[in-house]
Amino acid sequence: MSDQPPSGPVDPVSPPPPGDRGRADPTSFPVPVTDPSAVPGQGAAPAVPAATDPAAPVVPGQPGVPYPAGQPQEWSWSAPGGPAGPYATAYPGGPYASGAYPGAPYPGGTYPAAPYPGGAYPGWYPAGAGWDPNDPLVTPPHAGIGGWFARCAGAVRRGWRLLVPIMLLTQAAPAAVISVLSLALAPSGEVGTAADGAPVLPDGYFRDVLAFYAAVLAASLILGPVQSLGWAAGTWVVTRQAAGEPVGLGAAFRFGLRRVLGLWGWTLLSSLLIGVGVCFCLLPGLYLAFAFALVGPVYLFERENPIGRSFRIFHQRFGMVLGRVALVVAALLVGVLVGFVVEAVGQLPFGTHPMDSPGTAAGSAAVALVAAVLVVPVYLAQLVGLLVTYAEQRAHEGPVNAARLATELG
């Protein structure tokens, strides 16, 4: 070692003025002060005095205080009482804004997995949002098609013992009646062929065809309220079961009777509009059928402007509603096709005019009834699928649950 003093003048260091006593050098890291109350086994947190203390040291990152050289500006002091360590990475506005660094444990736990883009964890819903991710009827936002399927399956599993009799009495029975009526009133004359190959119509052919379609239409109108009774009763059963309330077959039909005329009227009006669309072109009719698919649930729960409301819901979340309704329509088409094939094949042994004799008439009626019963699962899928779709759209508009929907039914 050298005995010579360092080169250059050596000035005595004067003490700082009283007003600057305790002020930290902004160009150097402040020395962390250990907290005697720190948890053993963890680093001591720096003591940050209150800003009102005139002798408090200036912490880098506060307004008007520069960061030390080499310190990233996204670093900051830990919040008082936060995780241990003299410095902690704080992501501005992020999940670690309290001063914790990634991987640091919560008091008594660890951070969950990395969030999805947008900040939501799987199955996570904002505190106080009002959505119940376990609601048996209402699919919360962002639950996806899986949540929709789960609630449809749960509704059928809970209520099939009541829903099957309701669908048999109000859907299958009217369908079998219309089918038998169609067989009885079908035109009996057969189209012949003239010598020149031109078709020859039997006498009174157009009269018989007109009478056939008029009778079928009248039967459909008469049995329409019966079908509406079933849709209302089934909706009541599914909703109250999801809310944990008692249900019964008699109470379900009593509710259906209170809503049958209104539901039938709005269903008839929407069906007429769909029919007009089909007459102009097939695509407008299909479009209106999808847009008016929720008319029934809207009337039962809201009872105000069902057609306009269903139309608006369809366009507000076009892709979602279109996909859900398309699944219901696909199940409906498959079921109707199966029933048609079963009935067509079953009617072959009874000839083209099965109602001419009592034996063939009874056999033909039995085949029509069996075919109608086979379509009952499709009626269940239609009822439950459209109801769960409506409840999901209500959840996108605001917090709602099965109990509230049950109350709205009245």
Side-chain angles (χ1 to χ4, degrees):
M1 295 179 59
S2 174
D3 297 333
Q4 299 296 327
S7 59
V10 179
D11 296 330
V13 179
S14 58
D20 293 339
R21 187 173 301 163
R23 182 176 299 276
D25 184 1
T27 62
S28 63
F29 277 86
V31 179
V33 181
T34 57
D35 184 0
S37 63
V39 179
Q42 295 184 355
V48 182
T52 57
D53 187 358
V58 177
V59 180
Q62 289 183 345
V65 181
Y67 285 88
Q71 177 184 350
Q73 295 193 12
E74 61 269 21
W75 287 18
S76 68
W77 285 93
S78 301
Y87 295 97
T89 306
Y91 297 91
Y96 311 109
S98 63
Y101 51 86
Y106 283 131
T110 58
Y111 285 114
Y116 286 135
Y121 293 95
W124 176 90
Y125 298 92
W131 293 298
D132 181 5
N134 300 315
D135 191 279
L137 180 61
V138 181
T139 308
H142 315 301
I145 191 68
W148 183 82
F149 269 118
R151 282 155 180 83
C152 290
V156 174
R157 185 172 58 253
R158 289 188 302 271
W160 68 270
R161 290 177 179 84
L162 290 177
L163 294 177
V164 168
I166 291 173
M167 294 297 108
L168 284 173
L169 293 174
T170 63
Q171 309 301 321
V177 170
I178 293 175
S179 179
V180 172
L181 187 63
S182 300
L183 292 173
L185 297 179
S188 58
E190 298 181 359
V191 179
T193 304
D196 57 355
V200 177
L201 300 177
D203 294 338
Y205 179 79
F206 287 107
R207 182 188 66 247
D208 294 342
V209 170
L210 181 61
F212 168 76
Y213 283 109
V216 171
L217 179 60
S220 300
L221 292 176
I222 294 173
L223 295 175
V226 177
Q227 294 175 314
S228 297
L229 170 66
W231 296 128
T235 301
W236 185 85
V237 168
V238 172
T239 306
R240 286 182 63 90
Q241 282 185 330
E245 300 179 4
V247 295
L249 197 60
F253 280 122
R254 286 194 295 272
F255 170 81
L257 288 174
R258 295 201 304 268
R259 299 284 185 265
V260 61
L261 292 180
L263 181 59
W264 176 65
W266 285 108
T267 302
L268 180 61
L269 179 57
S270 60
S271 299
L272 290 176
L273 294 176
I274 294 171
V276 171
V278 171
C279 291
F280 280 102
C281 186
L282 181 62
L283 288 179
L286 291 176
Y287 165 76
L288 291 178
F290 279 87
F292 297 159
L294 300 180
V295 166
V298 169
Y299 169 75
L300 291 175
F301 288 97
E302 303 178 27
R303 293 184 291 280
E304 183 178 351
N305 190 21
I307 290 180
R309 178 88 165 100
S310 177
F311 193 84
R312 185 164 59 253
I313 291 175
F314 178 70
H315 288 88
Q316 285 176 343
R317 283 165 292 278
F318 179 79
M320 178 183 295
V321 180
L322 178 64
R324 308 291 195 265
V325 176
L327 291 173
V328 175
V329 171
L332 184 62
L333 291 178
V334 171
V336 170
L337 180 61
V338 170
F340 174 79
V341 171
V342 169
E343 184 173 2
V345 174
Q347 297 290 352
L348 290 177
F350 305 107
T352 56
H353 303 290
M355 298 300 171
D356 292 344
S357 65
T360 56
S364 180
V367 170
L369 181 60
V370 170
V373 170
L374 291 177
V375 187
V376 166
V378 178
Y379 299 136
L380 287 177
Q382 182 180 3
L383 169 69
V384 172
L386 295 180
L387 176 56
V388 175
T389 300
Y390 169 78
E392 183 180 25
Q393 304 316 305
R394 287 286 302 272
H396 279 269
E397 297 175 349
V400 68
N401 55 18
R404 175 175 173 179
L405 292 177
T407 303
E408 292 180 1
L409 279 179

